[in-house]
Amino acid sequence: MTTRYDIDSDDQFAAGRLIQWALRPDASPIRHDEYRILIGRYLDRLEFRNVVDSVVAGLGLQILNDVRQGYSLVLAPVIGSVFVTRSSEYRPTDNSADKRLLDGLIQVAIAATVYPHSTDLFSDTNLSRNPITVDEIEMTLRHIAERLEEASRENPDPIIEGTEGIYEAWRVYKNQPAAKETNSQRVGRGTTRGMIEYALDYLCRQRCFKKNGELFQPLWRYQVLVQEYAASRMYQAIQTVIEPKQGTV
């Protein structure tokens, strides 16, 4: 016999529905009535909130934002969670170690382009950030590479705490062509520009950016995610490279 659940009375079922909505990047409480109602329930009922928080933690997830009416629930996986995006899912083909290093470096460069100064990370996520371009991200990558090149001349094996992966990625980046058009006049996927475009397209599908011609507008969801990511050792190390006099966040 099939059990029927009542979203109005069953907290466990309603919690599952709320989490399911939150796992859909394109869902919005403004556009979806059930999502809006469940967000209101989360805010108004402590018992329901406790159930949601418990299920979220049990799934290996965490809520990144201060939950407010009209705003989505932004979830992110903790280390070891089944929801962690694997490199083979991000890049199903040509998933070599070098490509993985560059993909990681490019994601850091995108964040550093949106937030060029460490103090920017303390800004309100509701404030719109300036749109960015592939050229600007390429310039950020070049700036990081130049800083690391300078450091390597002073020390053949320069290590800033938390930057081991950055130096490995930089050495790969140095030998990577910036742009090379294919026969169809498109930027080759194996170039740094092609990889930047790939990363931005992926973030657009995750509703983190909105594309308008050559401009990529960071959205609220991305700002919430980056402010959480900014606490990582890798991002702080990048800020140390970019802003050596100011130090880390």
Side-chain angles (χ1 to χ4, degrees):
M1 185 176 71
T2 301
T3 302
R4 295 187 63 184
Y5 293 95
D6 184 352
I7 196 171
D8 294 324
S9 61
D10 191 315
D11 277 351
Q12 287 76 22
F13 178 73
R17 290 294 300 169
L18 176 56
I19 293 168
Q20 184 178 168
W21 279 112
L23 287 170
R24 299 174 180 173
D26 59 343
S28 167
I30 296 175
R31 297 192 306 273
H32 301 98
D33 291 341
E34 183 186 6
Y35 196 3
R36 185 187 72 254
I37 292 169
L38 290 170
I39 288 288
R41 184 169 173 175
Y42 181 90
L43 293 170
D44 296 338
R45 290 181 48 187
L46 179 60
E47 290 183 2
F48 178 62
R49 190 186 316 159
N50 289 337
V51 171
V52 173
D53 291 348
S54 179
V55 175
V56 165
L59 288 171
L61 297 166
Q62 57 182 328
I63 299 173
L64 299 184
N65 60 313
D66 293 328
V67 183
R68 289 181 286 176
Q69 194 65 55
Y71 288 83
S72 297
L73 206 66
V74 182
L75 301 177
V78 300
I79 296 175
S81 170
V82 69
F83 291 98
V84 171
T85 301
R86 292 174 295 184
S87 58
S88 59
E89 295 170 334
Y90 177 79
R91 184 182 290 279
T93 60
D94 193 15
N95 188 28
S96 64
D98 285 354
K99 283 293 190 295
R100 292 196 298 271
L101 285 169
L102 281 173
D103 283 333
L105 184 62
I106 286 168
Q107 289 294 340
V108 174
I110 292 172
T113 305
V114 175
Y115 294 91
H117 306 291
S118 56
T119 52
D120 294 334
L121 291 162
F122 297 101
S123 62
D124 189 343
T125 54
N126 290 310
L127 298 177
S128 178
R129 304 294 305 176
N130 291 329
I132 59 175
T133 65
V134 172
D135 285 338
E136 289 172 335
I137 298 166
E138 183 74 42
M139 288 177 62
T140 300
L141 276 170
R142 193 173 302 118
H143 178 57
I144 293 171
E146 288 171 354
R147 291 289 307 159
L148 293 174
E149 183 80 44
E150 180 183 338
S152 70
R153 287 197 295 269
E154 298 173 358
N155 185 342
D157 192 24
I159 291 294
I160 300 172
E161 186 178 1
T163 64
E164 292 83 356
I166 297 174
Y167 278 96
E168 293 174 7
W170 160 63
R171 291 182 176 112
V172 174
Y173 171 76
K174 284 199 307 180
N175 299 318
Q176 196 78 5
K180 180 180 179 182
E181 291 187 349
T182 64
N183 293 334
S184 60
Q185 304 304 308
R186 298 181 63 183
V187 175
R189 284 193 173 187
T191 65
T192 54
R193 288 185 64 84
M195 293 180 71
I196 291 170
E197 290 177 357
Y198 184 93
L200 288 169
D201 287 340
Y202 175 84
L203 291 172
C204 286
R205 293 195 299 273
Q206 299 300 312
R207 298 300 190 271
C208 290
F209 278 83
K210 182 178 180 180
K211 185 177 182 180
N212 182 15
E214 295 184 354
L215 299 176
F216 291 84
Q217 177 67 55
L219 301 179
W220 172 79
R221 177 183 176 86
Y222 183 74
Q223 295 188 62
V224 172
L225 290 169
V226 169
Q227 287 198 354
E228 174 68 19
Y229 172 65
S232 72
R233 290 174 63 193
M234 180 66 80
Y235 191 85
Q236 291 187 11
I238 280 290
Q239 286 296 334
T240 300
V241 172
I242 295 175
E243 300 181 278
K245 295 181 179 180
Q246 297 181 25
T248 58
V249 177

